[in-house]
Amino acid sequence: MRAVEFQEYGGPEVLKVVETEIPHPGPGQVSIDVTYTGVNFADLKARAEGYRVPSLPFVPGLEVSGRIREVGAGVEGLTEGQEVAALTAGGAYAEVVVTEAATTFPLPKNVDLRTAATLPTVLPTAYALVHTVGRLQPGETVLVQGAAGGIGTVVGQLARAAGAGSVFGVVSSAAKAEFARKYGYDDVFVGEFEAPVRAATSGRGVDLALDPVGGDTLRAALASLATYGRLVSFGNASSAPPWQVGQPDLYPGALSVSGFSILTLARTDPTALRTLTEQAFATAADGTVSLPVTAEFGLAEAAEAHRLMGARTSTGKLLLRVAESW
């Protein structure tokens, strides 16, 4: 089979098409004939920085849609030929991937394989940020970094459906702001946001801030919270050194800070992940949210997909089309 791997860390040019053996599932696993693979910022960090890379060479990719090829020993509830979406621990930039049955999910009704490839990371993460971790209540105000990205566009819709009073987004360009406003946002700020947030809330701040950037942006998000406000960190796209939140940061407003990583949840509590994923997938099946795919590449064009995402000009979700893409 063909796959896309890198043998050294670097820019998009290190991604190379290779021929390799078809993998077979072990106990508790399934193999999947991949139709689509989602492109995530974590894939870029793996390629450039070694994020979650156990050894080289490495095939990136964290989510797929497709049909089950083989079922390993002890697996129940999944069958050969079944259409599924799956969260993987890498290896998804390939024609066949092996992953844990516990992180493989039958498709909801009314969801096709193209849409399904956007589900495994984006939708459960967004759902957790709004409901499970963020605990958004009707009438509360929300601030979302990266509002034009895959997670951001879904968070905007989920927050609106949950009865948020106001939903504010932050993006890096006017074009992204125009795009994000289609997905539940009352207003979208370009670049600096702390002062505009205070102005938009009559000085109060927001009840919930969601940040995938880290560094100084995380500090500004914390400073934008209202009394009793909540900040959820779900990434470090800036690659800034870890920031230690101190007591002086929290005491004046009685603030709270938490974090979320779907990959960590998959590793530590698959049962909780399955519950979260089923709840999240239902919002796609019933039309509560739509997941915009804004660019699609053949698997051999993975480097081009990385260049687009790395330029920070992309919006929505990027996909690699694997089946019949050669």
Side-chain angles (χ1 to χ4, degrees):
M1 72 168 190
R2 296 188 183 188
V4 174
E5 70 175 24
F6 55 86
Q7 299 181 3
E8 59 183 341
Y9 303 123
E13 68 279 358
V14 303
L15 295 172
K16 304 295 183 183
V17 177
V18 298
E19 289 281 355
T20 186
E21 296 293 324
I22 294 176
H24 298 282
Q29 297 180 323
V30 298
S31 63
I32 299 170
D33 286 319
V34 178
T35 303
Y36 288 96
T37 293
V39 179
N40 293 284
F41 196 77
D43 302 340
L44 278 66
K45 289 174 69 71
R47 186 210 72 227
E49 305 173 14
Y51 174 70
R52 292 181 179 267
V53 176
S55 62
L56 295 175
F58 184 72
V59 176
L62 299 172
E63 60 183 347
V64 301
S65 66
R67 295 176 177 84
I68 293 179
R69 182 185 183 93
E70 291 183 74
V71 176
V75 173
E76 298 180 354
L78 297 171
T79 59
E80 292 181 9
Q82 189 174 19
E83 292 187 343
V84 294
L87 184 67
T88 75
Y93 287 20
E95 292 179 303
V96 180
V97 66
V98 167
T99 191
E100 299 299 318
T103 58
T104 302
F105 309 99
L107 297 195
K109 293 181 180 179
N110 307 321
V111 174
D112 60 22
L113 285 168
R114 187 171 187 265
T115 301
T118 70
L119 301 183
T121 62
V122 167
L123 193 50
T125 296
Y127 191 93
L129 294 175
V130 172
H131 294 289
T132 314
V133 184
R135 305 185 306 282
L136 181 66
Q137 300 299 310
E140 290 189 324
T141 51
V142 187
L143 175 68
V144 184
Q145 301 289 336
I151 291 173
T153 54
V154 177
V155 166
Q157 296 172 76
L158 287 174
R160 179 63 59 210
S166 296
V167 186
F168 302 114
V170 183
V171 296
S172 59
S173 71
K176 287 187 174 183
E178 182 178 357
F179 179 84
R181 288 190 181 96
K182 303 173 185 177
Y183 293 96
Y185 289 92
D186 295 286
D187 203 354
V188 183
F189 310 119
V190 178
E192 198 279 329
F193 61 89
E194 187 177 346
V197 165
R198 289 290 175 185
T201 58
S202 301
R204 178 179 178 274
V206 297
D207 298 293
L208 175 63
L210 308 174
D211 179 73
V213 181
D216 291 339
T217 300
L218 190 69
R219 289 181 179 274
L222 187 68
S224 300
L225 290 176
T227 301
Y228 305 124
R230 310 177 301 282
L231 170 64
V232 183
S233 170
F234 64 103
N236 186 30
S238 66
S239 297
W243 173 49
Q244 301 297 320
V245 179
Q247 292 174 330
D249 299 307
L250 304 179
Y251 281 180
L255 309 178
S256 61
V257 178
S258 55
F260 180 78
S261 165
I262 194 167
L263 298 178
T264 300
L265 185 64
R267 187 178 68 251
T268 59
D269 196 342
T271 300
L273 174 66
R274 180 162 294 277
T275 298
L276 171 64
T277 299
E278 289 173 353
Q279 293 170 331
F281 278 19
T283 66
D286 67 13
T288 299
V289 301
S290 61
L291 292 86
V293 176
T294 53
E296 185 179 310
F297 300 82
L299 184 56
E301 300 171 310
E304 294 304 313
H306 277 223
R307 288 188 182 96
L308 177 59
M309 182 171 282
R312 306 297 178 94
T313 58
S314 62
T315 55
K317 185 68 176 180
L318 306 187
L319 294 181
L320 301 180
R321 185 182 65 260
V322 180
E324 301 179 359
S325 68
W326 300 98

